[in-house]
Amino acid sequence: MVVVIGRISKALKYKCSTILRYIQTWKEVVYSMVLFTCTMVVMFWVSLFLYSSFYFTYMPQETINFPVYFHYSSCGKEPGICSNPVSSVPIGDNIVRSKLMHGQKYQIVLDLEMPESPSNQHVGMFLVSAELKGEDGFKLHKISRSVMLRYKSPLLQNLSTMVFAPLLLYGACEEKQVLSTELFDKYEERQDAELMEVLLEVESRHVEIYSARLRIHAMYSGVRYLMYYYPIMSAIAGVGTSMFFLAIIVIFSWYQMSPEDDFFLQSSKTRVGSSSTSRASEIKLPCTSKASSTSSPIKISGKGALEAGSSFESPGTGRSSDVDRSTLNIFKEGSTMQEVEKNETGESL
């Protein structure tokens, strides 16, 4: 009865130790998964922040609009103007040197809103001059472009007036044209010659203008073209690249901190192995004499002292005995104490 209770207690202890090992393993797995998830989330948000910062730093503004206000000299008592309309459009100032990005090509366009008046139709073609100036009034470029209203025959003009009469009466539509004139198609901003001011002149005193606006468009190319016209693909590629390099940094940092832990782990494994070897060397195994069926305990003096198929003298009998091959396999090099305990529990059960 006592033997049965002892065997049951040993089996319960073994089962409890196995369950505890499984619980510890699952704890480590859950901890690793939580740590990995948190690391990936942090890496994603850091990568997104880095890509956003790079985008707004690297990408220039697509369109910059500047209002244009013309000034001229009046003719006193006579109607009309006595000088060409001239305007100065500041691009930068002392605080913000220039709103344009260095090395980027721009398209500079002038929009003139003109009425379809008889005076403008009578003027026909006229010139618009533009002069780019840098710091301290340094002249960068100068160019002139011809402008004129689009022609409409009297019949077409009368028909359009009749069709759009309700809209014209309520002010929803006006008899005007917006003339867009390209002044510079590939102006490139340079660091040594920044654009600070644009001088505009309409070389006609008889032109009637409602309003004017200067537009500067950025002409994207290369990486900027892809980032602007394909934002989703560029964002995926940028965030993925940032996460890749961050993962490399995290892995290298982990390996930089891990050698000390590996040293302690290796030393603990060495201590466990030495203790298990010393305990295994003291285990007594039964051996059977060739001449008789009596068995006596045999003490193994050290690891590797017995080999499969070897014979020795049994204490007290003076006769040689053979050691079972399957029994000696337990004590081969590399066996641990856990395997010995499992074999003992299996024999007891």
Side-chain angles (χ1 to χ4, degrees):
M1 186 66 181
V2 176
V3 176
V4 174
I5 294 174
R7 291 180 178 180
I8 294 175
S9 63
K10 288 182 179 180
L12 291 176
K13 288 180 181 180
Y14 176 74
K15 293 294 183 181
C16 292
S17 62
T18 305
I19 294 173
L20 290 176
R21 283 198 301 270
Y22 287 158
I23 293 174
Q24 185 65 25
T25 303
W26 276 106
K27 284 184 179 179
E28 293 176 357
V29 171
V30 172
Y31 174 76
S32 301
M33 292 178 62
V34 171
L35 183 61
F36 176 77
T37 304
C38 294
T39 304
M40 293 298 294
V41 170
V42 172
M43 287 172 54
F44 172 76
W45 285 108
V46 171
S47 301
L48 186 62
F49 172 76
L50 292 176
Y51 178 78
S52 301
S53 302
F54 173 76
Y55 182 89
F56 289 107
T57 303
Y58 183 70
M59 291 293 294
Q61 188 175 351
E62 180 194 7
T63 303
I64 306 175
N65 297 319
F66 299 94
V68 178
Y69 304 102
F70 289 103
H71 56 87
Y72 50 86
S73 299
S74 62
C75 297
K77 296 181 180 181
E78 297 181 2
I81 60 177
C82 292
S83 65
N84 294 336
V86 180
S87 178
S88 176
V89 181
I91 305 300
D93 49 25
N94 295 329
I95 300 176
V96 180
R97 300 286 298 174
S98 179
K99 294 182 179 181
L100 308 183
M101 184 173 290
H102 299 153
Q104 175 65 37
K105 293 183 179 180
Y106 291 91
Q107 180 186 27
I108 301 177
V109 180
L110 176 64
D111 296 330
L112 295 176
E113 187 179 3
M114 301 174 59
E116 296 177 343
S117 62
S119 176
N120 286 336
Q121 293 178 356
H122 180 72
V123 169
M125 187 179 295
F126 59 94
L127 288 177
V128 175
S129 299
E131 182 177 353
L132 307 181
K133 288 190 175 183
E135 193 175 2
D136 299 331
F138 179 73
K139 182 179 178 180
L140 300 177
H141 299 281
K142 186 176 182 179
I143 198 170
S144 297
R145 292 285 188 265
S146 61
V147 185
M148 69 173 295
L149 287 175
R150 291 178 176 83
Y151 173 75
K152 285 185 178 181
S153 64
L155 179 60
L156 179 60
Q157 190 171 3
N158 293 332
L159 289 176
S160 62
T161 302
M162 292 176 60
V163 172
F164 294 103
L167 299 177
L168 293 173
L169 291 175
Y170 285 100
C173 182
E174 296 182 9
E175 295 180 317
K176 64 179 181 179
Q177 294 183 18
V178 178
L179 305 179
S180 297
T181 305
E182 183 183 74
L183 302 177
F184 299 92
D185 57 346
K186 293 182 180 180
Y187 170 76
E188 184 175 353
E189 180 76 351
R190 297 185 302 173
Q191 188 173 3
D192 57 345
E194 296 181 346
L195 179 61
M196 302 295 294
E197 185 182 13
V198 179
L199 296 180
L200 300 173
E201 181 180 0
V202 179
E203 298 183 5
S204 177
R205 295 182 301 167
H206 306 287
V207 175
E208 297 175 347
I209 300 174
Y210 279 154
S211 62
R213 180 181 59 177
L214 185 68
R215 292 185 290 113
I216 300 179
H217 294 279
M219 302 178 65
Y220 298 125
S221 61
V223 178
R224 288 172 177 166
Y225 180 87
L226 295 176
M227 294 176 65
Y228 183 78
Y229 291 101
Y230 302 95
I232 298 177
M233 295 178 59
S234 301
I236 293 174
V239 173
T241 304
S242 301
M243 290 187 66
F244 174 75
F245 285 106
L246 287 176
I248 292 177
I249 294 173
V250 169
I251 291 172
F252 274 105
S253 302
W254 179 267
Y255 275 106
Q256 287 293 329
M257 294 185 295
S258 61
E260 186 176 358
D261 299 336
D262 291 344
F263 173 77
F264 287 114
L265 183 61
Q266 187 67 26
S267 61
S268 64
K269 287 182 178 179
T270 305
R271 290 195 297 270
V272 171
S274 61
S275 63
S276 63
T277 303
S278 61
R279 291 184 59 185
S281 63
E282 296 176 358
I283 294 177
K284 297 178 180 180
L285 295 176
C287 64
T288 306
S289 176
K290 293 182 179 179
S292 63
S293 60
T294 59
S295 61
S296 60
I298 301 168
K299 184 175 182 181
I300 300 174
S301 59
K303 182 175 70 174
L306 295 178
E307 295 180 357
S310 62
S311 60
F312 57 92
E313 291 185 355
S314 175
T317 61
R319 299 175 181 178
S320 60
S321 302
D322 293 331
V323 180
D324 188 25
R325 183 181 299 271
S326 61
T327 307
L328 291 177
N329 285 335
I330 303 173
F331 301 97
K332 284 186 177 181
E333 186 175 359
S335 63
T336 59
M337 192 58 193
Q338 185 177 0
E339 295 176 349
V340 176
E341 291 177 354
K342 288 182 179 180
N343 291 328
E344 288 179 353
T345 306
E347 291 175 0
S348 64
L349 292 175

